[in-house]
Amino acid sequence: MNTPPAARGPAPGTAVVVGAGVAGLATALGLRRAGWRVTVLERRTRLERYGTAFGIHPAAQAALDRLGAQVGDVLRRRSVPYRRAEIRTPDGSRLARLPLERIEKKAGRPELLVSRPYVIDALVQALRSWGDVPLRLGEPAGDIAALRAAHDLVVGADGINSAVRTATFGTRSRPRRAGTVAWIGTAGFESPVHGETWGRGRFFGLTPVEPGRTNWYATAPEATTADELRALFAGWHDPVPRILEETDPAGWIRYEIRHLHPALPSFVREGRVALVGDAAHAMTPNLGQGACTALLDAEALTRAVARNGGPEGLTAALRDYDAERRRAAQRVAFASRTLHRLMTTRHTRTRDTLLRCLP
């Protein structure tokens, strides 16, 4: 059972969280656990349950546990450990091994892969168990100034096209195209290999997601249809062509990869507004850290708010949050963008030679 913390000091404040993705739901949960009155606004009429697998790094798993142990427990039951994966060439030759074993040894727990809908459902269930957190679907943010006037804290968790960010920080930092189109889907069988295959200007990834299913993702800028995508990967190693042939394109998702650029000078503004997740640092998906950084943002922000008391401590709380998360998250975003360039280069000889030298 969720029990609000014992009342200490000033009365709790009021917060509105704009956006009901992973970042927004996790932030709302953390603020409610800190005793705040929270409302969540989501412009879509239903929660986004599309997509495939999230990789949850051990640090993000620990953040989930701090936000609410029941959420971490639910996701561990629905996830699979990610323990072995390799980077290959299109003919199947190994270039390098992903450092999953080192991650597990250092953290004492493996990276986990879990279907996106399970993450959303677990967070919603935990939030609704409080019984007093409105989740208003089909309600856009509207006038951000009005939200600021009506609440002690406004949290922008509304993604790469964040209305909160635009209204608060302007348009200098905005979505930029990475020059690549991505495809994602789920195959109804388990792949015998996991990891990524890097070709000339395109790549293909395979991860487990749950028993009997495989998460896959691909980039191929020149492909605009399913048939074109299949043709581009037809000569690659097994099971890449088989996955594309045996999955229904109706279940595939195609999207243009974008990222936020230039980096924001701050994740907070005027002691009243904070950005989390993609609203703060949308990145290319190459490191698979989008969900992890969102969870780390949410936990750090709500921990800072809880530590600094009620509304009168918000300025200090947001300053602490920005100091803890901004540079760390922006380093991940920069590294992901750099990796994107490496993975999609057409000059593969030097790249592949360097990869073969990795331990």
Side-chain angles (χ1 to χ4, degrees):
M1 178 181 296
N2 288 316
T3 303
R8 294 181 181 177
T14 63
V16 58
V17 177
V18 181
V22 170
L25 294 171
T27 302
L29 178 61
L31 289 172
R32 183 62 191 86
R33 285 176 59 84
W36 281 56
R37 297 187 296 277
V38 186
T39 299
V40 182
L41 306 180
E42 170 55 55
R43 65 178 179 82
R44 295 177 176 85
T45 57
R46 63 180 64 184
L47 295 176
E48 280 194 330
R49 304 182 81 257
Y50 73 88
T52 50
F54 281 150
I56 309 296
H57 190 276
Q61 296 172 41
L64 267 175
D65 289 335
R66 292 191 293 271
L67 284 167
Q70 75 279 13
V71 180
D73 291 342
V74 167
L75 293 185
R76 275 185 283 273
R77 289 195 297 269
R78 303 303 299 266
S79 65
V80 295
Y82 197 26
R83 289 194 162 102
R84 184 179 178 86
E86 296 175 330
I87 301 173
R88 297 176 175 82
T89 61
D91 66 4
S93 301
R94 178 185 141 176
L95 290 171
R97 179 179 294 179
L98 296 183
L100 299 171
E101 294 174 355
R102 293 203 301 271
I103 290 173
E104 181 172 359
K105 183 176 181 180
K106 180 178 180 180
R109 63 172 90 180
E111 181 149 345
L112 298 178
L113 289 165
V114 60
S115 179
R116 177 192 174 103
Y118 296 155
V119 179
I120 296 295
D121 290 348
L123 289 168
V124 169
Q125 181 179 0
L127 197 59
R128 286 178 172 164
S129 70
W130 287 92
D132 59 358
V133 181
L135 177 53
R136 298 178 180 170
L137 301 178
E139 188 167 332
D143 185 349
I144 305 302
L147 291 180
R148 293 175 62 184
H151 300 84
D152 297 307
L153 173 64
V154 176
V155 179
D158 46 344
I160 190 170
N161 296 311
S162 172
V164 177
R165 184 187 66 243
T166 299
T168 308
F169 292 89
T171 58
R172 181 173 181 271
S173 294
R174 62 183 186 274
R176 314 280 181 162
R177 296 175 179 174
T180 307
V181 173
W183 303 68
I184 57 177
T186 304
F189 60 87
E190 294 185 22
S191 170
V193 297
H194 297 126
E196 295 180 340
T197 302
W198 294 9
R200 189 180 300 276
R202 55 185 183 268
F203 64 86
F204 199 97
L206 297 161
T207 69
V209 61
E210 57 187 329
R213 303 175 74 211
T214 298
N215 170 64
W216 65 266
Y217 50 95
T219 65
E222 59 270 57
T224 59
T225 67
D227 286 342
E228 289 175 351
L229 189 70
R230 285 169 169 158
L232 287 170
F233 290 100
W236 288 36
H237 67 81
D238 185 70
V240 173
R242 183 160 56 101
I243 279 180
L244 294 178
E245 286 297 331
E246 296 183 15
T247 57
D248 184 357
W252 300 2
I253 298 172
R254 180 181 184 272
Y255 68 96
E256 184 177 55
I257 294 178
R258 298 181 299 160
H259 62 101
L260 188 67
H261 185 78
L264 285 166
S266 176
F267 286 177
V268 303
R269 181 59 59 89
E270 299 173 1
R272 300 283 298 279
V273 179
L275 302 177
V276 294
D278 283 353
H281 47 67
M283 62 188 72
T284 67
N286 302 84
L287 282 176
Q289 291 291 303
C292 291
T293 53
L295 291 170
L296 291 170
D297 290 349
E299 192 277 329
L301 173 61
T302 57
R303 173 166 35 86
V305 169
R307 182 175 61 246
N308 284 279
E312 77 292 338
L314 266 181
T315 298
L318 298 194
R319 183 174 60 245
D320 291 350
Y321 163 66
D322 187 63
E324 178 176 343
R325 289 300 304 151
R326 178 165 50 87
R327 290 184 180 176
Q330 290 173 347
R331 281 195 298 268
V332 174
F334 177 78
S336 189
R337 187 165 67 251
T338 301
L339 183 59
H340 177 270
R341 296 192 184 106
L342 184 67
M343 293 171 69
T344 56
T345 183
R346 293 184 175 275
H347 305 289
T348 60
R349 181 175 297 178
T350 301
R351 179 197 69 186
D352 293 355
T353 299
L354 290 171
L355 284 173
R356 288 190 175 98
C357 295
L358 295 176

